[in-house]
Short mmCIF file of all heavy atoms in Angstrom, two decimals:
data_model
loop_
_atom_site.label_atom_id
_atom_site.label_comp_id
_atom_site.label_asym_id
_atom_site.label_seq_id
_atom_site.Cartn_x
_atom_site.Cartn_y
_atom_site.Cartn_z
N PRO E 45 25.12 32.14 -5.35
CA PRO E 45 23.82 32.12 -6.05
C PRO E 45 22.75 31.45 -5.15
O PRO E 45 21.65 31.94 -5.13
CB PRO E 45 24.17 31.33 -7.25
CG PRO E 45 25.59 31.25 -7.42
CD PRO E 45 26.25 31.34 -6.13
N ALA E 46 23.07 30.41 -4.39
CA ALA E 46 22.03 29.70 -3.69
C ALA E 46 21.63 30.64 -2.56
O ALA E 46 20.38 30.79 -2.31
CB ALA E 46 22.51 28.40 -2.96
N SER E 49 19.45 33.45 -3.81
CA SER E 49 18.08 32.94 -4.11
C SER E 49 17.24 32.77 -2.88
O SER E 49 16.00 33.22 -2.75
CB SER E 49 18.20 31.53 -5.01
OG SER E 49 17.04 30.84 -4.81
N TYR E 50 17.81 32.18 -1.80
CA TYR E 50 17.14 32.01 -0.53
C TYR E 50 16.64 33.40 0.06
O TYR E 50 15.57 33.53 0.46
CB TYR E 50 18.01 31.34 0.47
CG TYR E 50 18.17 29.79 0.30
CD1 TYR E 50 19.38 29.23 0.47
CD2 TYR E 50 17.03 29.01 0.04
CE1 TYR E 50 19.56 27.86 0.15
CE2 TYR E 50 17.18 27.66 -0.16
CZ TYR E 50 18.44 27.01 -0.09
OH TYR E 50 18.58 25.71 -0.25
N VAL E 237 17.83 17.70 1.43
CA VAL E 237 17.79 18.21 -0.04
C VAL E 237 19.20 18.06 -0.63
O VAL E 237 20.01 18.72 -0.26
CB VAL E 237 17.46 19.74 -0.09
CG1 VAL E 237 17.23 20.16 -1.50
CG2 VAL E 237 16.20 20.02 0.68
N ASN E 238 19.38 17.14 -1.54
CA ASN E 238 20.64 16.81 -2.13
C ASN E 238 20.55 16.83 -3.65
O ASN E 238 19.50 16.46 -4.23
CB ASN E 238 21.01 15.39 -1.74
CG ASN E 238 20.93 15.08 -0.29
OD1 ASN E 238 21.73 15.55 0.52
ND2 ASN E 238 19.97 14.40 0.18
N ARG E 239 21.59 17.41 -4.29
CA ARG E 239 21.70 17.43 -5.71
C ARG E 239 22.39 16.17 -6.14
O ARG E 239 23.40 15.85 -5.65
CB ARG E 239 22.54 18.66 -6.10
CG ARG E 239 21.83 19.98 -6.05
CD ARG E 239 22.65 21.01 -6.66
NE ARG E 239 21.97 22.34 -6.56
CZ ARG E 239 22.32 23.37 -7.29
NH1 ARG E 239 23.46 23.35 -7.98
NH2 ARG E 239 21.68 24.47 -7.01
N VAL E 240 21.79 15.37 -7.07
CA VAL E 240 22.52 14.24 -7.63
C VAL E 240 22.57 14.43 -9.12
O VAL E 240 21.70 14.96 -9.71
CB VAL E 240 21.92 12.90 -7.27
CG1 VAL E 240 21.95 12.65 -5.80
CG2 VAL E 240 20.43 12.80 -7.68
N ASP E 241 23.66 14.04 -9.76
CA ASP E 241 23.92 14.26 -11.22
C ASP E 241 22.80 13.48 -11.86
O ASP E 241 22.44 12.42 -11.53
CB ASP E 241 25.22 13.61 -11.54
CG ASP E 241 26.40 14.46 -10.99
OD1 ASP E 241 26.23 15.64 -10.61
OD2 ASP E 241 27.59 13.92 -11.00
N ASP E 242 22.20 14.14 -12.90
CA ASP E 242 21.23 13.55 -13.75
C ASP E 242 21.35 14.11 -15.17
O ASP E 242 20.84 15.29 -15.40
CB ASP E 242 19.89 13.74 -13.24
CG ASP E 242 18.75 13.01 -13.92
OD1 ASP E 242 19.00 12.62 -15.08
OD2 ASP E 242 17.68 12.88 -13.31
N ASP E 243 21.88 13.37 -16.13
CA ASP E 243 22.12 13.91 -17.48
C ASP E 243 20.86 14.02 -18.27
O ASP E 243 20.77 14.68 -19.25
CB ASP E 243 23.00 12.84 -18.23
CG ASP E 243 24.46 12.88 -17.62
OD1 ASP E 243 24.85 13.91 -17.03
OD2 ASP E 243 25.24 11.97 -17.89
N THR E 244 19.76 13.48 -17.73
CA THR E 244 18.49 13.49 -18.50
C THR E 244 17.77 14.91 -18.13
O THR E 244 16.89 15.20 -18.88
CB THR E 244 17.44 12.45 -18.09
OG1 THR E 244 17.09 12.56 -16.72
CG2 THR E 244 18.14 11.06 -18.24
N ARG E 245 18.33 15.60 -17.13
CA ARG E 245 17.74 16.92 -16.88
C ARG E 245 18.57 18.01 -17.55
O ARG E 245 19.86 17.91 -17.62
CB ARG E 245 17.79 17.24 -15.36
CG ARG E 245 17.05 16.17 -14.50
CD ARG E 245 15.54 16.24 -14.62
NE ARG E 245 14.98 15.13 -14.00
CZ ARG E 245 14.32 15.14 -12.84
NH1 ARG E 245 14.20 16.29 -12.15
NH2 ARG E 245 13.72 14.03 -12.29
N GLU E 246 17.89 19.09 -17.97
CA GLU E 246 18.58 20.07 -18.66
C GLU E 246 19.71 20.76 -17.81
O GLU E 246 20.78 21.10 -18.20
CB GLU E 246 17.60 21.16 -19.13
CG GLU E 246 18.08 22.10 -20.25
CD GLU E 246 17.07 23.08 -20.69
OE1 GLU E 246 15.87 22.62 -20.84
OE2 GLU E 246 17.30 24.25 -20.78
N ARG E 247 19.36 20.87 -16.42
CA ARG E 247 20.33 21.50 -15.53
C ARG E 247 21.48 20.60 -15.07
O ARG E 247 22.32 21.02 -14.41
CB ARG E 247 19.61 22.15 -14.40
CG ARG E 247 18.74 21.16 -13.60
CD ARG E 247 17.90 21.94 -12.54
NE ARG E 247 17.13 20.84 -11.81
CZ ARG E 247 16.25 21.09 -10.86
NH1 ARG E 247 15.99 22.34 -10.55
NH2 ARG E 247 15.59 20.09 -10.25
N GLY E 248 21.30 19.32 -15.43
CA GLY E 248 22.35 18.31 -15.10
C GLY E 248 22.33 17.64 -13.78
O GLY E 248 23.18 16.89 -13.36
N TYR E 249 21.30 18.02 -12.91
CA TYR E 249 21.05 17.38 -11.60
C TYR E 249 19.65 17.34 -11.38
O TYR E 249 18.80 17.99 -12.00
CB TYR E 249 21.82 18.14 -10.66
CG TYR E 249 21.32 19.60 -10.29
CD1 TYR E 249 20.28 19.70 -9.37
CD2 TYR E 249 21.77 20.64 -10.89
CE1 TYR E 249 19.79 20.93 -9.09
CE2 TYR E 249 21.21 21.91 -10.59
CZ TYR E 249 20.23 22.14 -9.69
OH TYR E 249 19.73 23.28 -9.49
N ARG E 250 19.26 16.58 -10.26
CA ARG E 250 17.93 16.60 -9.70
C ARG E 250 18.01 16.56 -8.21
O ARG E 250 19.20 16.27 -7.73
CB ARG E 250 17.10 15.49 -10.23
CG ARG E 250 17.51 14.10 -9.67
CD ARG E 250 16.90 12.95 -10.44
NE ARG E 250 17.79 11.69 -10.50
CZ ARG E 250 17.80 10.79 -9.56
NH1 ARG E 250 16.91 10.85 -8.58
NH2 ARG E 250 18.67 9.82 -9.66
N LEU E 251 17.01 16.98 -7.61
CA LEU E 251 16.97 17.06 -6.10
C LEU E 251 16.45 15.79 -5.59
O LEU E 251 15.41 15.28 -6.04
CB LEU E 251 16.08 18.30 -5.66
CG LEU E 251 16.57 19.64 -5.95
CD1 LEU E 251 15.64 20.64 -5.38
CD2 LEU E 251 18.05 19.83 -5.37
N VAL E 252 17.09 15.21 -4.61
CA VAL E 252 16.51 14.03 -3.82
C VAL E 252 16.68 14.30 -2.33
O VAL E 252 17.49 15.07 -1.95
CB VAL E 252 17.26 12.64 -4.23
CG1 VAL E 252 17.07 12.41 -5.73
CG2 VAL E 252 18.72 12.72 -3.88
N VAL E 270 10.34 15.18 -1.75
CA VAL E 270 11.34 16.18 -1.93
C VAL E 270 11.45 16.43 -3.53
O VAL E 270 11.71 15.45 -4.27
CB VAL E 270 12.65 15.75 -1.44
CG1 VAL E 270 13.84 16.82 -1.85
CG2 VAL E 270 12.71 15.52 0.03
N PRO E 271 11.26 17.65 -4.04
CA PRO E 271 10.81 18.79 -3.31
C PRO E 271 9.31 18.83 -2.91
O PRO E 271 8.65 17.95 -3.24
CB PRO E 271 11.15 19.97 -4.37
CG PRO E 271 11.13 19.29 -5.62
CD PRO E 271 11.37 17.83 -5.46
#
Side-chain angles (χ1 to χ4, degrees):
S49 157
Y50 284 134
V237 184
N238 309 286
R239 282 184 183 192
V240 295
D241 293 341
D242 186 343
D243 293 340
T244 67
R245 306 284 172 106
E246 200 176 314
R247 58 188 181 181
Y249 68 87
R250 71 194 147 88
L251 293 180
V252 299
V270 175

